[in-house]
Amino acid sequence: WGLRQIAAPAVDPYRMRVFGGHHLFDDSKARRELNYRSMSLEDAINQCHAWYVTHGFTPAPTTWSHS
């Protein structure tokens, strides 16, 4: 019987607490002073995923075909 090696979780407990919480923010100062503009949830998720891939926090997606 050998010991099974368990992979580290993709997201650590701290990030799960942060991502799983409800957060409300006022962005009026950012809009006023930084010309901030909000985006759709889909665009925000895609942009976030691209950043995670670029910075090595998650592997790049692989392509596959369904036969």
Side-chain angles (χ1 to χ4, degrees), residues 4 8 11 14 22 25 29 33 35 40-41 43 47 50 52 54 56-59 61-62 65 67:
R4 255 179 93 192
V11 179
Y14 168 76
H22 296 281
F25 300 96
K29 185 176 180 180
E33 296 183 12
N35 200 30
S40 71
L41 179 59
D43 288 344
Q47 190 177 65
Y52 270 66
T54 299
F57 289 99
T58 190
T62 58
S65 62
S67 303

Side-chain angles (χ1 to χ4, degrees), residues 1-8:
W1 294 72
L3 293 178
R4 255 179 93 192
Q5 189 172 15
I6 299 173

Side-chain angles (χ1 to χ4, degrees), residues 3-4 8 10 16-19 21 23 25 28 37 43 53-54 61 64:
L3 293 178
R4 255 179 93 192
M16 287 301 294
R17 285 193 307 275
V18 171
F19 295 154
H23 307 283
F25 300 96
S28 59
R37 295 293 172 252
D43 288 344
V53 170
T54 299
W64 59 279

